[in-house]
Amino acid sequence: MPERFENPGLPAHPERLADRDPKAAKRVERQLVLLLLISIAASIGGVVGWATIPVGTTLMDVRLSTLVLGLGLGLALLGIGVAAVHWSKTLMSNKEYVEERKPIASSEEVRAEATEMVETGIEESGIARRPVLKGALVGAAALAPLPFVVPLVGELPEQWDSRRFAHTAWGRVPAGSGGRLPDGTMGRRLATDPDGRLIRAADVTNGSAFQVIPHGLENEEHYLEEKAKAVVFMTRIDPAEMTISPERRDWHYDGIVAYSKVCTHVGCPVALYEQQTHHLLCPCHQSTFDLANEAKVVFGPAKRALPQLPITVDTEGYLVARSDFHETVGPSFWERERLDENR
């Protein structure tokens, strides 16, 4: 093997049309400005769509608002990306440079050379000679984050009182949504989601799975927010297979148990039920809860059991909630323990 290979040299440098024809370069510049204007329009359109589409009335509103925001942000970033690639391939310098390998430690001369190369690259990009293109690039880059930032800031609550997370709609019994318990008190009836059908104990068979919400919830203000906190998974288990602590003896009805469907890890909906093991699995990070043992964690990153909803039947035979959850639903946050202590 030779000590050094012969330098093959560089291939012939191909000139581009924009290098030879100023009109072609101007045409490419107009194309780039158009792409960046599309990015600007998409950013503004995403923000306008978020501001004009009401969120919280129906599920379709949430989907439409999310679609508009996603399209606005996606087209804004796509316009900048396509413009950057087209710019580099057509207007920026494409000359080949040869750099000899040097020791890792750079001398002052090498650092000065590197600085000079960066400055040369900026100069050869032509951005200083194209003010319209420069303005379009700055405008597109400045507005592209708006479809993400504006909704994030605009949805911040006016007050930061975390006590509003401590209670759900199960603790309220509006007119027409409750049933009378044998002791004379009222409890909120359980209803299937999404049809709102009332549930009798006989409707719940062993191994069956129900997604349950408070009866009449759709008539309340902030329906989607309240549903997200109050949604419940309900099934029936043979009482002989259950482990029940003394304080929860009356929280189930003949093996019918109801637990919050909001995972205590990061709030995903737990919905994958294994009938044979009575395990409820969260599809996001595989946290697994044993419903036969008070929904305690048996696998995964979750640190707390799912909150249990105390249930019974009213005088008409419909399933009702005895009370609200006895602990805060959902993932842990900075004041959850204090809220649970003050319940």
Side-chain angles (χ1 to χ4, degrees):
M1 298 291 291
E3 293 184 4
R4 293 181 62 87
F5 290 97
E6 183 180 353
N7 185 358
L10 295 174
H13 176 70
E15 284 194 344
R16 301 168 299 186
L17 181 60
D19 297 331
R20 303 191 305 266
D21 187 357
K23 292 184 178 179
K26 198 67 178 177
R27 184 168 59 251
V28 171
E29 182 180 349
R30 289 194 294 267
Q31 294 171 354
L32 294 173
V33 171
L34 177 61
L35 288 170
L36 295 172
L37 288 177
I38 292 175
S39 173
I40 292 174
S43 298
I44 297 175
V47 174
V48 171
W50 168 81
T52 56
I53 299 174
V55 178
T57 306
T58 65
L59 188 58
M60 186 58 66
D61 294 337
V62 177
R63 291 175 177 173
L64 183 59
S65 177
T66 304
L67 176 63
V68 171
L69 275 175
L71 287 176
L73 184 59
L75 290 175
L77 297 178
L78 179 64
I80 294 176
V82 173
V85 173
H86 191 37
W87 189 349
S88 65
K89 288 182 175 294
T90 54
L91 291 183
M92 290 186 178
S93 174
N94 69 335
K95 294 180 181 180
E96 296 83 2
Y97 295 90
V98 177
E99 181 181 4
E100 297 291 340
R101 290 188 177 182
K102 301 178 178 65
I104 296 178
S106 300
S107 62
E108 290 293 337
E109 292 78 9
V110 172
R111 288 196 286 269
E113 181 183 353
T115 302
E116 183 181 356
M117 291 173 61
V118 173
E119 293 174 350
T120 302
I122 295 175
E123 181 181 354
E124 291 181 346
S125 69
I127 192 170
R129 302 190 304 272
R130 296 180 171 91
V132 176
L133 180 56
K134 179 169 61 176
L137 175 62
V138 172
L143 295 180
L146 289 184
F148 171 77
V149 174
V150 172
L152 181 64
V153 176
E155 293 292 345
L156 291 176
E158 296 180 358
Q159 47 85 23
W160 291 81
D161 187 1
S162 59
R163 286 176 296 180
R164 56 197 176 97
F165 298 116
H167 302 284
T168 71
W170 292 111
R172 304 187 300 269
V173 188
S177 64
R180 188 171 299 279
L181 303 181
D183 60 4
T185 60
M186 298 293 291
R188 190 145 190 179
R189 285 175 170 172
L190 279 62
T192 57
D193 181 44
D195 55 4
R197 177 176 56 85
L198 295 177
I199 309 172
R200 293 183 179 274
D203 299 333
V204 187
T205 58
N206 284 342
S208 59
F210 288 78
Q211 176 166 303
V212 175
I213 57 175
H215 178 53
L217 185 64
E218 65 278 3
N219 300 323
E220 295 190 21
E221 189 179 7
H222 306 301
Y223 161 65
L224 292 178
E225 289 87 345
E226 292 297 333
K227 179 180 177 181
K229 293 191 299 180
V231 64
V232 162
F233 181 89
M234 184 178 68
T235 188
R236 191 170 202 154
I237 303 173
D238 185 350
E241 301 179 19
M242 298 172 61
T243 301
I244 306 172
S245 56
E247 63 271 15
R248 296 193 182 190
R249 288 294 179 185
D250 58 350
W251 284 23
H252 72 97
Y253 182 79
D254 196 20
I256 302 176
V257 290
Y259 292 95
S260 171
K261 199 177 177 182
V262 185
C263 183
T264 55
H265 178 219
V266 292
C268 295
V270 287
L272 304 177
Y273 183 54
E274 300 174 350
Q275 292 181 339
Q276 300 301 318
T277 62
H278 310 305
H279 288 173
L280 190 62
L281 177 69
C282 177
C284 293
H285 306 99
Q286 286 70 57
S287 293
T288 306
F289 305 88
D290 186 3
L291 300 192
N293 188 17
E294 300 180 348
K296 293 181 179 179
V297 181
V298 295
F299 180 80
K303 301 300 181 183
R304 297 189 294 121
L306 295 174
Q308 184 175 358
L309 181 70
I311 61 173
T312 186
V313 294
D314 62 14
T315 55
E316 298 181 30
Y318 292 108
L319 290 170
V320 296
R322 289 180 173 272
S323 64
D324 198 355
F325 294 103
H326 286 219
E327 59 181 303
T328 307
V329 301
S332 300
F333 56 96
W334 60 94
E335 290 185 324
R336 185 191 65 81
E337 293 184 359
R338 182 179 64 83
L339 294 176
D340 290 343
E341 292 175 357
N342 294 334
R343 276 180 173 270

